Amino acid sequence: MTENFQFDQSRIDYIQKSFTNNFKFRFSLFKILPMGFLSGMKISKLTEEKCSVTVPYKRKNKNPFQSTFWAVLGMAAEMSSGALLIMFTHKQKPSVAMIIVNCTGNFVKKATDITTFTCSDGQKIKEAVKTAIQKEEPQLIECHMKGVNEAGEEVANFTFTWSVKARIKK
């Protein structure tokens, strides 16, 4: 067991700075998540408590009903929790595997302008990652995010359940 585990604040700071730098984040998306790059998704805020991700309504993102395609909204919602997970798992020793095991979404209103998804489960994620490393057991994290338009009206909400597991060599 890894009972005295501590997060390295410099790694957390590095991810925060890299992901909130639009050029660096967009370049990363281009390399590892091209659809995220094409959608125009960006991280507008990343702290240890929350992450906000915006996605515009534009020609490439819209559906035949003149709103943002549901999968584009889901991608932005996933990134709002995923960025928090990356922030707390980046270069961890032992490394931490993460995967989505469940997803639900509710669509409240047509998305016809910039939609911002915010996940405020940062501390819950941090504790689950720490527990996964300390106890050497997988942990499930249910993350909730709400998407709002520029007027602050709810457009959609998602729940992603992530599984995190420390890669312990035995």
Side-chain angles (χ1 to χ4, degrees):
M1 287 195 155
T2 314
E3 292 178 23
N4 296 325
F5 172 79
Q6 295 291 321
F7 286 96
D8 183 340
Q9 190 62 44
S10 66
R11 290 182 183 148
I12 291 171
D13 294 343
Y14 172 79
I15 294 297
Q16 286 175 331
K17 287 178 187 162
S18 296
F19 279 22
T20 55
N21 177 306
N22 197 36
F23 178 78
K24 286 182 180 180
F25 180 68
R26 303 267 305 135
F27 182 72
S28 295
L29 286 178
F30 181 76
K31 288 190 334 186
I32 61 173
L33 188 62
M35 292 311 296
F37 174 80
L38 291 174
S39 74
M41 174 173 59
K42 67 179 184 177
I43 294 178
S44 57
K45 182 176 187 169
L46 179 59
T47 68
E48 289 189 40
E49 291 77 33
K50 69 170 70 171
C51 178
S52 295
V53 175
T54 62
V55 66
Y57 171 71
K58 62 182 190 176
R59 187 178 164 282
K60 290 179 188 173
N61 294 348
K62 72 178 184 172
N63 61 28
F65 310 107
Q66 306 305 308
S67 64
T68 305
F69 183 54
W70 73 268
V72 173
L73 296 173
M75 183 171 47
E78 179 188 350
M79 181 59 75
S80 70
S81 61
L84 290 165
L85 275 149
I86 291 168
M87 183 172 63
F88 293 119
T89 60
H90 178 68
K91 292 190 177 181
Q92 284 300 345
K93 301 250 190 279
S95 68
V96 178
M98 57 185 179
I99 189 166
I100 292 175
V101 296
N102 194 26
C103 169
T104 60
N106 297 299
F107 303 92
V108 180
K109 183 178 177 71
K110 284 177 103 174
T112 57
D113 57 14
I114 294 173
T115 303
T116 302
F117 283 93
T118 301
C119 178
S120 299
D121 292 327
Q123 289 306 309
K124 182 182 355 179
I125 291 168
K126 184 176 186 177
E127 286 305 311
V129 169
K130 185 175 183 176
T131 301
I133 292 170
Q134 288 178 325
K135 293 187 176 182
E136 299 178 2
E137 296 174 358
Q139 301 294 307
L140 293 178
I141 315 157
E142 190 173 88
C143 298
H144 304 279
M145 53 283 309
K146 180 173 147 180
V148 298
N149 61 19
E150 290 181 297
E153 302 165 317
E154 184 174 10
V155 171
N157 58 71
F158 284 84
T159 300
F160 286 93
T161 304
W162 291 86
S163 174
V164 292
K165 176 183 174 185
R167 294 181 176 118
I168 306 294
K169 295 179 183 174
K170 298 192 180 200

